[in-house]
Amino acid sequence: MARINSSKVRSFKKSFPDSQMLNFIKSRTNRVTIRIGVGIIIVILGILSIYLYKRYNSYDDYKVLNYIKVDSSSNSKYLSYQDFVIKYSGDGISYIDDEGTVWDEAYQMKTPIVDICEDYIAVADKNSNDIYIYNEDGKQGKITTSFPIIKVEVANQGVVAALLEDKNANHIEVFDKEGNKLVSHKTLLDENGYPLDFSISDDGEKMAVSYITIHNGAMGNRIVFYNFSNSGKNSANKTAGEHTQYKETIVPIVKFLSDNEAIAVGENVFSVYKIGKQSELDEEIEIKDEIYKVFYSEKYVGFILENHNSKYPYRIEVYDLSGKRKMKTEIKMEYDNVDFSGDNVLMYDDMNCQIISFEGVEKFKIIFKGEINGIIPVDGSRTFLFMTRSKIQKVKLK
């Protein structure tokens, strides 16, 4: 242990009476406190500056980081997959990464339906009976349904659900990726109702269905949740809840946003459900104006609405899953495509692109020189994939 030099301490005390010593200590302490406080303020200001820059800074151009050549038709469409894209049309489907085409599968479809969940891709021709399953290694299998297909969804382990239609009834069938039928559910208008839409959870264990019903000549709408896991095995018909508060309001959209959260969107209402062993209505918000478009992510639900302003005929509203409104902004133009890019709204058509932050700041706006087939966010803020007929560009806004 270090030894204290007592003579130096006594000398120091003699040089300073008690009151002077106290003032000396206070002044030294105040200087240290001030320095620490100034340092903290500088750090806070730096963080705030970065935050405000990211939130309110705008971009007027972009630079191309890299690109790959592709051969696309005018009707080619793109979906985000892994770190890059899936390209599909009526002639086939391909997986493209940042080095080029990984695999390419040809087919002939009039109206291809494509759904992606993590590694799995399901592809079907509307009104046909065949569903093809792919992952990053290529084709994994084929499923044949009992009736013509209206809609298809795939879960993260390759489970596929399909909404089917025949002359007398509608059917919902669920298959594993090997093509084994797991669930078969028949619906008749005068009994169960007519299914408008359905969705399965990412884990493939839960399903939501929106039905139009007719009772005593009156039309209604109900949302039914099903649980196919072990926790739902004792429920009648695997049901996990039924919700009839919509009455005559038509609800054409149901969608699982996570394994335990789903939304339903009607003509004038937006509902959030929590689903465990039973489903619970968590939030419900009235939408007063006509809905033109609905878009969603794992965290948010957005609407393009009618706006009663001749200068700005449309309005964007965004809500989180607790029902809190995160954005309300008027816009002039209705775009063909709307999506989220982080805490921004990305809107584009074949010639135009506009990005608006939740604060209503126009982050980016451009008229392209050539036709654009698709735009996909990469990092949620500044980096995007721009798809054209001849190439895919990875760009960064500047």
Side-chain angles (χ1 to χ4, degrees):
M1 181 181 293
R3 180 176 296 176
I4 299 174
N5 191 323
S6 58
S7 62
K8 287 185 178 180
V9 173
R10 286 194 297 270
S11 175
F12 179 80
K13 291 182 69 176
K14 286 180 181 179
S15 301
F16 291 93
D18 288 346
S19 59
Q20 290 181 352
M21 185 180 297
L22 183 61
N23 289 336
F24 173 79
I25 293 171
K26 284 183 177 180
S27 65
R28 291 295 298 270
T29 302
N30 287 339
R31 284 199 294 271
V32 172
T33 303
I34 290 170
R35 287 172 184 170
I36 293 173
V38 170
I40 292 172
I41 291 171
I42 290 173
V43 171
I44 292 173
L45 288 175
I47 294 172
L48 182 60
S49 298
I50 294 171
Y51 171 81
L52 292 175
Y53 177 83
K54 288 184 176 180
R55 283 289 189 182
Y56 296 102
N57 186 51
S58 297
Y59 310 96
D60 55 14
D61 202 355
Y62 63 88
K63 65 177 180 179
V64 178
L65 302 178
N66 55 59
Y67 73 92
I68 57 172
K69 293 182 178 180
V70 293
D71 184 14
S72 300
S73 63
S74 59
N75 62 349
S76 292
K77 296 181 180 180
Y78 293 84
L79 293 172
S80 178
Y81 180 69
Q82 305 291 33
D83 294 328
F84 226 70
V85 297
I86 287 292
K87 176 173 74 76
Y88 72 96
S89 68
D91 299 321
I93 184 169
S94 56
Y95 167 38
I96 303 170
D97 66 12
D98 56 2
E99 294 183 355
T101 300
V102 179
W103 52 257
D104 187 21
E105 181 85 15
Y107 56 61
Q108 287 298 316
M109 296 186 182
K110 292 181 179 179
T111 311
I113 305 168
V114 180
D115 188 58
I116 297 175
C117 185
E118 296 186 12
D119 192 35
Y120 282 94
I121 308 159
V123 183
D125 194 6
K126 190 172 183 179
N127 298 319
S128 77
N129 293 73
D130 294 326
I131 303 171
Y132 300 93
I133 310 301
Y134 301 88
N135 65 12
E136 62 183 346
D137 296 320
K139 188 175 178 180
Q140 299 299 301
K142 176 184 175 182
I143 295 167
T144 300
T145 62
S146 305
F147 303 97
I149 297 163
I150 299 174
K151 182 184 176 182
V152 168
E153 278 200 10
V154 65
N156 60 22
Q157 72 285 76
V159 170
V160 175
L163 177 61
L164 316 171
E165 185 177 46
D166 68 7
K167 293 180 180 180
N168 303 312
N170 286 84
H171 308 259
I172 294 173
E173 294 183 343
V174 181
F175 303 83
D176 63 21
K177 62 183 178 181
E178 286 77 29
N180 301 307
K181 190 182 295 185
L182 305 177
V183 176
S184 181
H185 178 64
K186 181 179 180 179
T187 64
L188 297 170
L189 181 59
D190 57 352
E191 294 179 7
N192 309 97
Y194 179 88
L196 284 177
D197 195 21
F198 83 100
S199 181
I200 60 171
S201 57
D202 286 354
D203 59 15
E205 294 185 346
K206 306 176 189 72
M207 182 167 65
V209 184
S210 175
Y211 295 98
I212 285 182
T213 60
I214 303 293
H215 183 66
N216 294 331
M219 186 174 67
N221 207 119
R222 65 190 180 114
I223 306 294
V224 180
F225 289 93
Y226 300 89
N227 191 333
F228 304 123
S229 68
N230 290 332
S231 63
K233 64 182 179 181
N234 296 322
S235 301
N237 299 319
K238 300 285 187 179
T239 56
E242 182 174 333
H243 303 268
T244 60
Q245 75 274 16
Y246 301 102
K247 298 180 180 179
E248 295 183 1
T249 297
I250 304 301
V251 185
I253 297 173
V254 288
K255 181 66 179 177
F256 271 94
L257 302 186
S258 69
D259 288 340
N260 300 302
E261 291 178 307
I263 62 167
V265 180
E267 296 170 301
N268 58 3
V269 67
F270 156 51
S271 311
V272 180
Y273 292 94
K274 305 289 186 182
I275 304 94
K277 291 182 179 179
Q278 292 291 311
S279 59
E280 296 181 2
L281 177 63
D282 193 52
E283 296 290 341
E284 195 154 79
I285 297 170
E286 181 183 359
I287 305 295
K288 296 182 179 180
D289 294 306
E290 183 179 353
I291 300 172
Y292 290 111
K293 281 186 174 65
V294 180
F295 55 105
Y296 38 77
S297 67
E298 293 180 352
K299 297 168 57 178
Y300 305 115
V301 181
F303 302 91
I304 304 295
L305 303 171
E306 178 187 19
N307 196 47
H308 304 286
N309 183 332
S310 59
K311 187 177 180 180
Y312 298 95
Y314 305 102
R315 186 172 76 253
I316 306 171
E317 290 192 11
V318 172
Y319 296 84
D320 63 19
L321 298 188
S322 66
K324 182 180 179 182
R325 189 166 65 194
K326 307 293 291 184
M327 177 183 185
K328 182 180 179 181
T329 301
E330 296 177 317
I331 58 173
K332 292 182 178 180
M333 184 174 179
E334 183 186 13
Y335 294 82
D336 295 334
N337 306 280
V338 187
D339 202 354
F340 287 107
S341 175
D343 291 346
N344 305 296
V345 174
L346 164 67
M347 302 175 288
Y348 69 94
D349 53 33
D350 58 355
M351 296 296 293
N352 304 275
C353 174
Q354 185 177 13
I355 300 172
I356 302 177
S357 73
F358 283 4
E359 288 76 21
V361 176
E362 185 178 271
K363 305 285 286 183
F364 181 67
K365 189 174 183 179
I366 195 169
I367 299 175
F368 294 106
K369 295 179 181 178
E371 185 176 334
I372 290 288
N373 283 11
I375 299 176
I376 293 177
V378 174
D379 64 0
S381 59
R382 293 179 61 189
T383 309
F384 297 84
L385 298 177
F386 287 174
M387 276 69 69
T388 70
R389 286 195 187 187
S390 60
K391 57 188 173 182
I392 299 176
Q393 296 177 320
K394 188 174 185 178
V395 309
K396 190 168 186 176
L397 305 186
K398 65 176 186 177

